[in-house]
Amino acid sequence: MEITEEKLGNQNALLKIKINPEDYTDKYDTALKQYRKQISMPGFRPGKVPMGVVKKKYGKSLLAEELNKMLNSSIQSYITENELQVLGSPIPSEEHDDKGDWDNPSDFEFTYEMGLAPDLKTEISNKDKFDYYTIKIDDKMLDKHVKEIAKRYGKLIDADVVKENELLVGDFVELDSSDEVKEAGIMNQSTISLESMDKSIQKKFKGKKIGDFVVVDPHKVSGNHEDLAKMLGISHDEVHNIDTNFRFIIREIKEMEPAELNQEFFDKVFGEGNVNSEEEFKDKIREELKGNFSQDSDRLFKRDLTNKLIEKYKPTLPDDFLKRWIQLTNEKPISAEEIENDYTEYKKGLQWQLIFNDLIKQNDIKVEQEEIIDRTKGMLKAQYAQYGLPAPEDQELNESAMKVLTNQDESRKIYDMIYDEKLMEHIKSVATIKEKEVDYDKFVELASKG
C-alpha cells in the first residue's frame, strides 16, 4: 500500500491511497470462506455452496467491505503517525474518481480530501482584559425573595374578594358565539390561579366576590392545552375545537397567607437551629442568591471571553470542505441551504474549540483520572441528595462512579467539564479581570445580547 499527501493550500490536502492485490488478497479470501460457511442456497447443503458461486454473487460487496476497513485503518494510522491536525474526517474527493476494476480486481487507487486545522499560538497575559459581571443583591430583591419563600411555606385561607394572585375554585360553563350559555355545552368545576392568567384576564377578576362570574377566553386562563383540557374536563384533542368564551362562576376564593418570619419558619427552611433571627435568615438568602447568580456570571463571562478570543486569533477554517463534510456525515439528509443557515454558529463553535484546545496545550493543563472519579462521585451524591436519600458507602459509590465512566460519552462530558473549569480558573488568575456589579435587569439585558 502506498499513501501520498498533496497539499492544496494551507488548510486542504489530498490523500491518495494505492492498494495492490498483495495488500488485500488474504483478507478477501478469508472473508469469502467465512461467508461461504454462513450462507445457504437452494440446491446446496449449508456451507457447501461452490466458491465460484459465492464470489460471483457476493464478491464485490465483500471486497468493498474489506477495502473500506483497510482504507479507514490506513488513513487513521497515517494521520496519527504524521501528527496531522485534521478537522472533521477525510472524505472521498469530488474531483478524483476511484480507479480499479471491481469485476477483475487488481490495483486500486482512492483519493480523499482532508481539512486541516490552522496553526495557532495562543497566550493569555495581563494584557488581556475581560469584564466579569455580578448581580447586585439590593434590599428590594432580597425582600422579594424572602416574601416568595414565606408564601411557599404559608397556608391557604378563605377570602371574600379577589385582589391579586389568589386561587379561585369555580365552574366553567361553555358559551355560544353570542356569549349565551350553550345548550348541552361543557360544564366543569376547576381551580384557576390568577398568577398563571393573561394580565388582561386578571383585571376582569379583581374585585369579584363569591357568586360573581367572569366571561373569559379559556385559552388565556391556562398555560397550555394540557392544563386547559384538565380545567374543562375534556380531552387534549377536544381543546383544539374550543373557539368560544366560557363563563367562570366563582365558588371559593383562596388567598395564600405567607408564613410568619419566626423560629418555626426559619427551622423549616434551613433546619433546626441553623438560623435564629430575621437578620440571619436574610443573610442566608443573600448567600444563596450569590451562589445561584455566580453560575450566571460565569456563563456570561465565558461567552464574552469566547467572543473576544475568537476575534483576537481569528482561526481560519476550510469552510467549503467542512460544509461538504457536514452534508456527507450527517445522520439525516441535510440540504446545502440548511448548512448555510447553521454554519455561522457551527464555525464559531469550532473556532472556540481550536482556541480552547491550544490554550490547554500551551498552559499544560491536565485532568487526572482521580479527579474524574471524585467529580463523578460528587455528582452521584448530589443525585441521592436530590431525592432525599443518603449516599452509599465510599466503596459502593466508587464502583458506581466507575460504572458511569465506562460510558464514553458521559466520561467525555466530565473530562470536558473539568478542563473547562481549569482553563477558566487559569484565565482569571492571569488576565486582567474587572468585576462590574450591575442590577438584575441590566444583567439580563447583557446576557440576552448573545
Side-chain angles (χ1 to χ4, degrees):
M1 180 183 295
E2 180 185 344
I3 300 180
T4 57
E5 180 183 349
E6 180 184 337
K7 295 286 187 183
L8 302 174
N10 292 328
Q11 290 186 258
N12 292 88
L14 293 178
L15 277 186
K16 293 186 177 181
I17 303 122
K18 293 181 179 179
I19 302 176
N20 57 48
E22 288 78 14
D23 298 317
Y24 64 79
T25 298
D26 289 345
K27 291 181 179 179
Y28 175 47
D29 288 343
T30 300
L32 285 168
K33 290 173 184 177
Q34 288 178 343
Y35 202 73
R36 183 190 183 204
K37 293 177 183 178
Q38 299 170 13
I39 64 171
S40 60
M41 293 179 67
F44 301 100
R45 286 181 296 155
K48 298 298 182 179
V49 179
M51 183 58 76
V53 175
V54 176
K55 185 177 285 191
K56 183 176 181 181
K57 192 170 181 64
Y58 303 105
K60 286 183 185 178
S61 60
L62 289 172
L63 178 58
E65 188 177 330
E66 290 304 317
L67 290 182
N68 193 49
K69 289 178 186 176
M70 291 180 65
L71 287 167
N72 288 336
S73 175
S74 301
I75 289 171
Q76 192 54 53
S77 296
Y78 183 89
I79 289 170
T80 302
E81 290 167 9
N82 291 275
E83 299 181 347
L84 299 179
Q85 300 301 310
V86 176
L87 298 177
S89 57
I91 57 176
S93 171
E94 275 189 314
E95 306 297 325
H96 300 77
D97 294 328
D98 296 336
K99 296 178 182 178
D101 187 345
W102 292 94
D103 292 314
N104 299 290
S106 181
D107 294 338
F108 287 91
E109 183 176 313
F110 303 92
T111 306
Y112 284 79
E113 296 177 40
M114 290 192 301
L116 303 175
D119 291 327
L120 282 177
K121 187 68 175 178
T122 58
E123 182 184 3
I124 298 293
S125 70
N126 58 9
K127 294 180 181 178
D128 292 291
K129 298 178 181 180
F130 305 103
D131 293 329
Y132 187 90
Y133 290 97
T134 60
I135 298 173
K136 182 180 180 181
I137 303 172
D138 54 22
D139 291 341
K140 182 180 177 182
M141 177 185 289
L142 188 61
D143 288 343
K144 178 185 176 184
H145 280 271
V146 169
K147 287 177 182 177
E148 287 176 354
I149 296 170
K151 186 183 286 187
R152 202 182 308 151
Y153 284 84
K155 59 182 179 181
L156 287 172
I157 60 173
D158 293 325
D160 298 321
V161 180
V162 179
K163 297 173 185 175
E164 58 179 0
N165 301 333
E166 286 88 0
L167 287 173
L168 307 179
V169 180
D171 300 322
F172 277 104
V173 180
E174 188 176 10
L175 304 178
D176 59 23
S177 58
S178 300
D179 281 348
E180 299 293 333
V181 175
K182 184 177 180 179
E183 187 176 348
I186 297 168
M187 295 184 67
N188 192 59
Q189 187 174 88
S190 188
T191 301
I192 57 176
S193 167
L194 259 68
E195 283 186 306
S196 64
M197 292 181 194
D198 186 278
K199 291 192 180 297
S200 63
I201 304 298
Q202 285 182 10
K203 292 178 182 178
K204 292 185 176 184
F205 280 93
K206 288 185 179 179
K208 298 296 183 181
K209 300 178 181 179
I210 294 172
D212 290 344
F213 68 83
V214 176
V215 174
V216 297
D217 176 349
H219 294 282
K220 293 183 178 180
V221 174
S222 64
N224 54 60
H225 284 175
E226 198 65 39
D227 288 342
L228 182 54
K230 292 175 183 176
M231 283 183 182
L232 301 181
I234 59 178
S235 71
H236 185 108
D237 289 339
E238 288 175 304
V239 167
H240 297 283
N241 298 321
I242 299 296
D243 59 359
T244 59
N245 291 328
F246 273 67
R247 181 179 293 179
F248 185 83
I249 305 168
I250 301 172
R251 302 301 183 194
E252 296 178 56
I253 304 172
K254 298 290 186 181
E255 181 182 346
M256 180 60 76
E257 182 178 70
E260 290 185 37
L261 302 187
N262 54 27
Q263 193 60 48
E264 181 184 1
F265 171 64
F266 302 149
D267 290 345
K268 281 182 180 178
V269 178
F270 288 113
E272 189 171 347
N274 290 319
V275 170
N276 299 296
S277 68
E278 186 174 334
E279 184 179 356
E280 287 183 17
F281 180 78
K282 287 185 175 181
D283 287 340
K284 275 274 192 182
I285 298 300
R286 182 180 276 107
E287 287 306 309
E288 282 194 350
L289 288 172
K290 282 183 179 179
N292 294 336
F293 289 147
S294 69
Q295 296 178 20
D296 296 319
S297 294
D298 285 343
R299 279 192 288 269
L300 181 56
F301 172 74
K302 183 182 175 181
R303 188 200 71 187
D304 291 348
L305 176 146
T306 298
N307 290 337
K308 282 192 172 184
L309 291 182
I310 289 175
E311 181 60 30
K312 177 181 178 180
Y313 293 108
K314 295 183 175 65
T316 56
L317 300 178
D319 297 315
D320 291 339
F321 167 83
L322 287 170
K323 290 174 185 177
R324 201 165 87 81
W325 175 77
I326 292 170
Q327 192 165 36
L328 287 175
T329 59
N330 205 60
E331 289 184 5
K332 297 179 180 178
I334 182 171
S335 68
E337 184 179 359
E338 289 174 307
I339 292 173
E340 287 295 337
N341 290 338
D342 298 336
Y343 187 72
T344 299
E345 280 303 307
Y346 172 82
K347 181 175 182 176
K348 182 179 176 182
L350 183 52
Q351 286 177 314
W352 168 243
Q353 193 62 53
L354 290 168
I355 293 170
F356 179 92
N357 291 342
D358 197 64
L359 285 170
I360 292 290
K361 179 183 176 182
Q362 296 296 338
N363 295 286
D364 198 29
I365 297 172
K366 299 184 184 304
V367 174
E368 304 297 338
Q369 179 70 10
E370 196 62 36
E371 294 177 271
I372 298 296
I373 295 172
D374 288 344
R375 175 60 60 91
T376 308
K377 288 162 69 175
M379 292 165 66
L380 290 171
K381 284 181 181 178
Q383 287 179 5
Y384 280 106
Q386 184 180 350
Y387 294 103
L389 300 171
E393 296 296 324
D394 193 65
Q395 183 176 346
E396 183 181 343
L397 198 62
N398 202 70
E399 290 172 358
S400 297
M402 295 304 293
K403 188 175 180 180
V404 169
L405 293 173
T406 58
N407 183 311
Q408 290 188 351
D409 288 339
E410 286 300 316
S411 178
R412 186 74 263 162
K413 284 179 187 176
I414 298 169
Y415 264 102
D416 289 345
M417 184 191 305
I418 299 177
Y419 269 120
D420 189 84
E421 290 172 3
K422 286 192 171 188
L423 180 59
M424 291 303 116
E425 287 171 10
H426 171 76
I427 292 173
K428 287 177 183 178
S429 70
V430 175
T432 300
I433 309 296
K434 186 174 182 180
E435 190 167 312
K436 295 183 176 181
E437 189 178 57
V438 296
D439 62 35
Y440 182 78
D441 290 339
K442 179 63 177 177
F443 187 91
V444 171
E445 180 187 335
L446 291 167
S448 64
K449 286 181 179 178

